[in-house]
Amino acid sequence: MKLHLLLIALFSFLFAGCSSGPGGSLRTKGIAIQPIAFNDPSRLVFVQHEISAFYHCPVYILKETQMPSSFLNLTKGERYSADSILRWLSHGRSDSVAILLGLTGKDIYIADKDAFGRVRRPASKYAVWGILGLGYTPGNACVISDARFKSTDNSRYDHRLRTVVIHEIGHNLGLPHCKTPHCIMNDANEHISTVDSSGTDLCGSCRKKIPLACDRL
């Protein structure tokens, strides 16, 4: 019954006439999921449920939109600028949306830089560095791509998707990377090789830093 109700909610949002760009008009302030070239209703419902259960706030699903072609970089195949996506989401975000989460199946990248703001060497490797997700810390937008962690093992895929989504929203709420092993905010969760062994919750220290009732939303 719970899943059935979520599916009803999903299709209500998908056909509610949201704008074709990022963001949309929502009745209650909360977190909104913006599918970007991501047409998988069951996965969207899964993400909606996991965010709501973890952060205890309203979560909405917006109408799918397409990835702007201007974000494309072909240096290492088809990759899209995560920084550009974040700016696009943030600028297009409705005032009724506290955090806008972009979810895409397209591969995304950043220019990986050192502490001095310089692209790490060799530039041919780090200028277009593939990533799983990126979020402002703190901020109102994040983006997650499942291009690097798709799996035929559904439970493994779900764990990866949930971990990266919760991790990036944590950044939006002001949480930095955490050194505590198995904390979902651990900096190792930036890499698929360690996401699989990640814990499923925040450590006690991180939990105290953010209001899980979404008071900041």
Side-chain angles (χ1 to χ4, degrees), residues 47-65:
V47 172
Q48 179 188 43
H49 175 264
E50 294 301 318
I51 296 172
S52 179
F54 194 89
Y55 287 112
H56 307 291
C57 62
V59 182
Y60 306 92
I61 298 172
L62 305 179
K63 184 178 179 180
E64 181 190 20
T65 190

Side-chain angles (χ1 to χ4, degrees), residues 54-55 129-135 143-145 148-149 159-168 170-171 176-203 206:
F54 194 89
Y55 287 112
W129 183 252
I131 59 172
L132 308 178
L134 185 68
V143 59
I144 289 89
S145 166
R148 292 175 177 268
F149 58 73
H159 173 76
R160 291 171 174 175
L161 182 58
R162 177 186 183 275
T163 299
V164 179
V165 165
I166 298 301
H167 181 102
E168 297 305 336
H171 283 321
H177 282 143
C178 178
K179 298 298 183 183
T180 303
H182 305 300
C183 176
I184 206 166
M185 293 307 299
N186 191 279
D187 57 1
N189 288 336
E190 297 283 294
H191 308 283
I192 192 59
S193 59
T194 49
V195 166
D196 287 344
S197 59
S198 169
T200 59
D201 204 352
L202 297 170
C203 67
C206 286

Side-chain angles (χ1 to χ4, degrees), residues 45-139:
V45 169
F46 169 77
V47 172
Q48 179 188 43
H49 175 264
E50 294 301 318
I51 296 172
S52 179
F54 194 89
Y55 287 112
H56 307 291
C57 62
V59 182
Y60 306 92
I61 298 172
L62 305 179
K63 184 178 179 180
E64 181 190 20
T65 190
Q66 296 306 304
M67 182 73 75
S69 58
S70 59
F71 300 166
L72 176 63
N73 186 304
L74 295 173
T75 304
K76 294 183 179 179
E78 184 181 334
R79 296 184 185 180
Y80 293 83
S81 168
D83 288 315
S84 296
I85 297 170
L86 284 189
R87 288 191 293 270
W88 176 60
L89 290 172
S90 183
H91 293 160
R93 181 184 60 89
S94 166
D95 289 340
S96 59
V97 176
I99 293 174
L100 187 56
L101 180 149
L103 183 58
T104 185
K106 302 290 188 180
D107 200 7
I108 60 176
Y109 77 91
I110 58 169
D112 195 11
K113 300 179 180 179
D114 62 21
F116 299 99
R118 300 173 300 201
V119 175
R120 293 171 60 193
R121 299 294 179 182
S124 58
K125 178 178 181 180
Y126 292 108
V128 185
W129 183 252
I131 59 172
L132 308 178
L134 185 68
Y136 291 132
T137 310

